[in-house]
Amino acid sequence: MQQETKPAVEIGSRIVFTKTISESDVYLYAGITGDFSPNHIDEVYMSAGRYGRRIAHGTLMMGLMSAASARLYLGRTVSLGYDRIRFTAPVFFGDTIATSYTLVRIDEEKRRAYADVECVNQDGAVVAVATNVRAWVD
């Protein structure tokens, strides 16, 4: 039985995943990754800096990107990674992040799908961007 490798969605298909970043999210992420930088866990240290308070890990935004990608079903695919990742603004505890995942290109010969991913906070500021590459594994 041959598996279908073409997605059921079209170029331009988009999904948005929204999450409010809590203090516990940041601490759990620090524990999982081992990244206990004072930027994320030391309020006194960060209060003396430009941001005036703790910030979430930039790579936590990549987790939100992954969550969004999982919600746009393309068939049996795996992520090959994220290209051109940029953390463009800080994410503070309590910020609500809307992560949009938009399918922009399919390379049928290489069996790859490409999506633009963008994380935006509740004020409309872009806080992270990337391109996700997925591959069909059927």
Side-chain angles (χ1 to χ4, degrees):
M1 179 173 169
Q2 185 172 358
Q3 300 289 325
E4 183 173 329
T5 59
K6 292 187 178 188
V9 295
E10 309 253 336
I11 300 299
S13 293
R14 180 175 180 259
I15 192 81
V16 178
F17 172 70
T18 302
K19 178 166 184 8
T20 299
I21 304 302
S22 69
E23 183 173 31
S24 63
D25 292 327
V26 173
Y27 274 80
L28 288 168
Y29 189 80
I32 290 167
T33 63
D35 181 351
F36 293 99
S37 166
N39 293 344
H40 313 304
I41 64 168
D42 190 333
E43 186 71 25
V44 173
Y45 173 82
M46 286 303 285
S47 69
R50 176 170 78 169
Y51 299 130
R53 54 190 160 151
R54 294 170 292 174
I55 59 174
H57 302 74
T59 53
L60 181 55
M61 297 307 101
M62 291 179 63
L64 300 182
M65 292 176 184
S66 180
S69 78
R71 286 165 171 75
L72 186 63
Y73 184 70
L74 298 178
R76 195 179 332 266
T77 62
V78 295
S79 177
L80 295 181
Y82 292 83
D83 295 337
R84 295 184 300 277
I85 302 162
R86 296 292 180 267
F87 307 120
T88 56
V91 174
F92 300 109
F93 296 16
D95 280 356
T96 298
I97 305 301
T99 303
S100 64
Y101 188 92
T102 307
L103 187 63
V104 295
R105 182 168 67 95
I106 294 174
D107 183 332
E108 293 198 28
E109 183 177 312
K110 291 184 178 180
R111 298 171 39 94
R112 304 282 189 265
Y114 299 84
D116 287 341
V117 192
E118 182 178 74
C119 297
V120 177
N121 70 15
Q122 69 280 351
D123 299 321
V126 176
V127 299
V129 295
T131 298
N132 181 228
V133 182
R134 288 163 68 178
W136 278 274
V137 292
D138 285 321

